[in-house]
Amino acid sequence: MNPVQYNPIGIIHSPFKELHGMPIQPVGARGVKGQIEIDKKYESGLKDLDGFSHILLIYHFHLCNGHSLEVKPFLDKVKHGIFATRAPKRPNPIGISVVRLEKIEGTTLHISNVDVVDGTPLLDIKPYIPHFDREEGEDVSIGWFEDKHHQAKDKKSDKRFVD
């Protein structure tokens, strides 16, 4: 395969200056405020985004080096395949978070429920539209997370995925 290269469209800012102790998912970051500074050349791409209450952030895990195909995630004591987790030590270190969009001022997006370390390069933004992801009432299986997902609200990260 040919290599793929992306350039950040902006930078995510949060109160988390290091990985240790920050929330592992947006559900554990309720009310945590942050900002996104979008490169001025992408400003017109923000048109109509203010009509959405939530946005999907796609970003680069810039503090992770290398990858592991099996990892012990924050919510379990046993190893799982990397693709069955949301752990950052991935072949392509790409993260996703759904955050609340509070307001837009020029090229600054004010957001909340931020579970991202300060200075993270932002690759893309998409509007969050839950109706697109599954049919209402459709059964969803969440694998090994079934008896653990409720722990995400209180679980904080450590340095297990940083070299």
Side-chain angles (χ1 to χ4, degrees):
M1 281 192 255
N2 292 328
V4 178
Q5 182 177 349
Y6 292 100
N7 294 309
I9 64 166
I11 300 291
I12 302 169
H13 295 289
S14 78
F16 307 112
K17 304 303 179 199
E18 62 181 51
L19 293 173
H20 185 75
M22 65 179 255
I24 64 165
Q25 295 295 328
V27 70
R30 293 286 179 236
V32 175
K33 305 286 186 191
Q35 297 83 36
I36 301 170
E37 295 297 331
I38 300 293
D39 188 305
K40 184 78 172 154
K41 67 183 174 187
Y42 299 114
E43 184 173 15
S44 66
L46 299 174
K47 181 181 179 206
D48 301 323
L49 187 63
D50 59 355
F52 294 88
S53 65
H54 291 76
I55 55 176
L56 179 64
L57 305 180
I58 303 167
Y59 48 89
H60 176 68
F61 286 125
H62 66 293
L63 299 179
C64 286
N65 294 313
H67 69 276
S68 299
L69 294 180
E70 292 186 16
V71 296
K72 190 184 304 178
F74 295 119
L75 295 177
D76 209 352
K77 294 178 178 17
V78 298
K79 285 188 173 185
H80 296 277
I82 189 68
F83 303 125
T85 76
R86 291 188 170 193
K89 203 127 177 111
R90 315 182 76 75
N92 291 303
I94 297 171
I96 58 171
S97 292
V98 175
V99 298
R100 175 173 281 284
L101 177 61
E102 302 290 344
K103 66 180 175 177
I104 301 173
E105 294 179 323
T107 56
T108 301
L109 283 64
H110 298 270
I111 56 176
S112 61
N113 307 340
V114 183
D115 67 329
V116 181
V117 72
D118 188 58
T120 296
L122 180 67
L123 301 176
D124 203 357
I125 302 169
K126 294 180 184 272
Y128 177 66
I129 306 167
H131 308 82
F132 284 6
D133 294 320
R134 66 180 182 95
E135 291 277 336
E136 194 169 323
E138 179 182 5
D139 286 336
V140 175
S141 174
I142 59 171
W144 67 269
F145 284 104
E146 193 65 49
D147 65 343
K148 296 174 178 43
H149 67 89
H150 63 281
Q151 298 172 23
K153 185 174 182 182
D154 298 315
K155 189 72 171 178
K156 304 299 183 208
S157 72
D158 53 33
K159 296 181 180 182
R160 74 180 76 189
F161 299 115
V162 179
D163 293 332

